[in-house]
Amino acid sequence: MNTANAGMRTLVIFLYLAAIVLANVLTAAIEPIMLGHLIIPAGSLLIGVTFILRDLVQNAIGRRNTYYTIAAAMVISGATSWAFGDTLWITFASAVTFLFSETADTEIYTRLRLPMSMRVFYSGIAGGILDSVIFVVIGLSPLGAGFLPWGLVGYAILGQILAKTGMQALGAGLVHLVLKMRQPSRLA
């Protein structure tokens, strides 16, 4: 096994797990951002990044091993959520949301036959939409913990989707640029 490759795999997995913890920390420590009627938890910006990092984890260790990493990340996310004082209901909603959104991201990323930047973008968009809808409905709406009235649920979902989509677009653009820079020049 190449030591440099092993180090890179470890780094990508660490960054993925650290981004998940940091997203929970930001959400717990910072009041949601209000843009008009839109409600955007600070951690939502980092959740968009986690989908990109999850794709890089899959490139580094393969699909099957990625699911082990997702399972570990789900436990870490739930533990972090609980440690920051979230209710059991919010912790449960976080874990369920994580399972569905990360699985969708993994499976869509795997099946798309597009350039990597487009796979990152489309799989992350799907994961981000699922993440936003499931968490807000299960965790925050009157159906769940009741933090948001039904009248604000749509604004919370839309705010999170826009934040995560923006991060996916930036990440996909960055992946495109990095891959383009790594290609040999055609002018030589």
Side-chain angles (χ1 to χ4, degrees):
M1 175 189 285
N2 184 328
T3 309
N5 287 341
M8 186 56 72
R9 282 192 290 274
T10 302
L11 176 63
V12 170
I13 292 168
F14 172 78
L15 290 173
Y16 171 65
L17 298 174
I20 291 163
V21 171
L22 188 55
N24 283 341
V25 169
L26 290 175
T27 300
I30 300 172
E31 288 292 318
I33 301 162
M34 303 296 291
L35 290 176
H37 292 297
L38 299 178
I39 304 167
I40 306 169
S44 291
L45 297 170
L46 224 45
I47 296 301
V49 172
T50 65
F51 289 118
I52 297 163
L53 290 169
R54 198 233 42 88
D55 296 336
L56 296 177
V57 166
Q58 183 173 340
N59 285 352
I61 64 173
R63 182 172 157 252
R64 182 174 19 136
N65 289 331
T66 295
Y67 275 110
Y68 296 130
T69 306
I70 289 171
M74 187 173 76
V75 170
I76 290 168
S77 178
T80 305
S81 181
W82 184 255
F84 280 102
D86 285 337
T87 65
L88 186 57
W89 193 256
I90 294 292
T91 302
F92 169 75
S94 179
V96 168
T97 299
F98 195 86
L99 177 66
F100 282 104
S101 63
E102 294 289 327
T103 298
D105 183 49
T106 302
E107 294 305 317
I108 292 169
Y109 183 82
T110 299
R111 286 167 173 71
L112 287 176
R113 299 294 174 236
L114 297 169
M116 184 180 171
S117 60
M118 292 292 91
R119 291 168 54 206
V120 165
F121 182 69
Y122 292 130
S123 66
I125 294 297
I129 289 171
L130 282 172
D131 190 83
S132 301
V133 172
I134 294 170
F135 183 75
V136 171
V137 171
I138 292 177
L140 303 177
S141 78
L143 182 65
F147 289 119
L148 292 176
W150 284 115
L152 294 179
V153 166
Y155 293 116
I157 291 170
L158 183 58
Q160 288 192 36
I161 289 172
L162 291 175
K164 293 168 191 170
T165 299
M167 293 308 293
Q168 284 303 131
L170 288 173
L174 183 62
V175 166
H176 177 75
L177 287 174
V178 167
L179 292 175
K180 190 173 186 175
M181 288 175 19
R182 293 174 84 188
Q183 290 178 349
S185 174
R186 295 174 202 224
L187 299 175

